[in-house]
Amino acid sequence: MKRGSTLFLKIAVILMGIPVLALCIFVVPKLGSFAAELYPNAAYLKYLVWVDLYATAIPFYFALVQAFRLLSYIDKNNAFSELSVIALKKIKYCAMTISVLYVLGMPLFYLIAEVDDAPGIIVIGMVLIFASLVVAVFAAVLQRLLQEAIQIKSENDLTV
C-alpha cells in the first residue's frame, strides 16, 4: 500500500488531539475553579474535577498514539499482523478506561449541575460515557475480526 494512502487519517488523528489539548489547558482549570466557587466549603472539589478530567486525557492520547501506530502498520503492509491486534486491544482498553473515569466523575458533575441548575452537564457526561463505550465495542469487534482474518491467512499459507 502506498505510504500516503492513510495520510488523511493520520492528519485526522493529530487534529483530534488538538482540541482536547486546548480543553485541558484552558477549560479544565476553569471548571475546577467553578466547582470550588459553587461549594466554598468543599474547595477540594476543584482538585477532584482536575484529577478526573486530566486522568481521562491520558488514555485518550494513548489511544491516539495506538491509532497512529495502526495506520503506520497499514502503510507498511502489516495490517494483518499481531501488532495490529495488540494496537486495537490497547485502544479498546483505553476507551473502557475513559468510560469508567467519566462514570466515577459523574457525581462531581451532578453536584455542579444541581447547584448551577444546568442539567446539560449530566447529558454531556452521559454522551461522553456512551461515545467511549461505542469506541470500545467497535475496537473489540475489529480486534476479533482481525484475529480471525489472521488465522484464516495463516491456514491458507500453510495449505499452499
Side-chain angles (χ1 to χ4, degrees):
M1 188 171 281
K2 290 185 180 178
R3 204 162 198 177
S5 61
T6 57
L7 181 64
F8 175 74
L9 293 174
K10 287 182 180 181
I11 292 171
V13 166
I14 292 170
L15 290 177
M16 286 172 57
I18 293 172
V20 174
L21 180 64
L23 287 173
C24 286
I25 292 172
F26 299 113
V27 177
V28 171
K30 289 181 182 178
L31 279 176
S33 298
F34 181 68
E37 289 174 12
L38 290 177
Y39 290 98
N41 295 335
Y44 62 88
L45 284 179
K46 169 170 63 172
Y47 302 110
L48 291 176
V49 170
W50 287 356
V51 165
D52 185 49
L53 293 177
Y54 286 132
T56 57
I58 295 168
F60 175 77
Y61 281 109
F62 187 73
L64 286 184
V65 168
Q66 295 304 315
F68 201 83
R69 285 184 181 170
L70 186 59
L71 291 171
S72 296
Y73 299 149
I74 292 170
D75 277 344
K76 296 175 186 173
N77 287 331
N78 287 335
F80 294 102
S81 67
E82 284 299 318
L83 294 173
S84 298
V85 173
I86 292 170
L88 283 170
K89 183 189 287 187
K90 289 178 182 178
I91 291 170
K92 174 182 70 174
Y93 288 144
C94 287
M96 289 189 305
T97 302
I98 291 169
S99 184
V100 166
L101 288 171
Y102 277 125
V103 166
L104 292 175
M106 282 305 287
L108 292 171
F109 299 113
Y110 174 76
L111 290 174
I112 295 170
E114 182 181 338
V115 171
D116 196 37
D117 198 25
I121 295 174
I122 303 295
V123 174
I124 290 170
M126 297 302 287
V127 167
L128 291 172
I129 292 168
F130 181 71
S132 60
L133 282 177
V134 167
V135 169
V137 169
F138 187 69
V141 168
L142 283 178
Q143 176 189 354
R144 184 168 178 182
L145 287 173
L146 190 58
Q147 283 175 333
E148 290 176 5
I150 291 170
Q151 185 180 19
I152 290 170
K153 181 182 174 200
S154 67
E155 288 174 2
N156 285 343
D157 289 344
L158 291 174
T159 57
V160 173

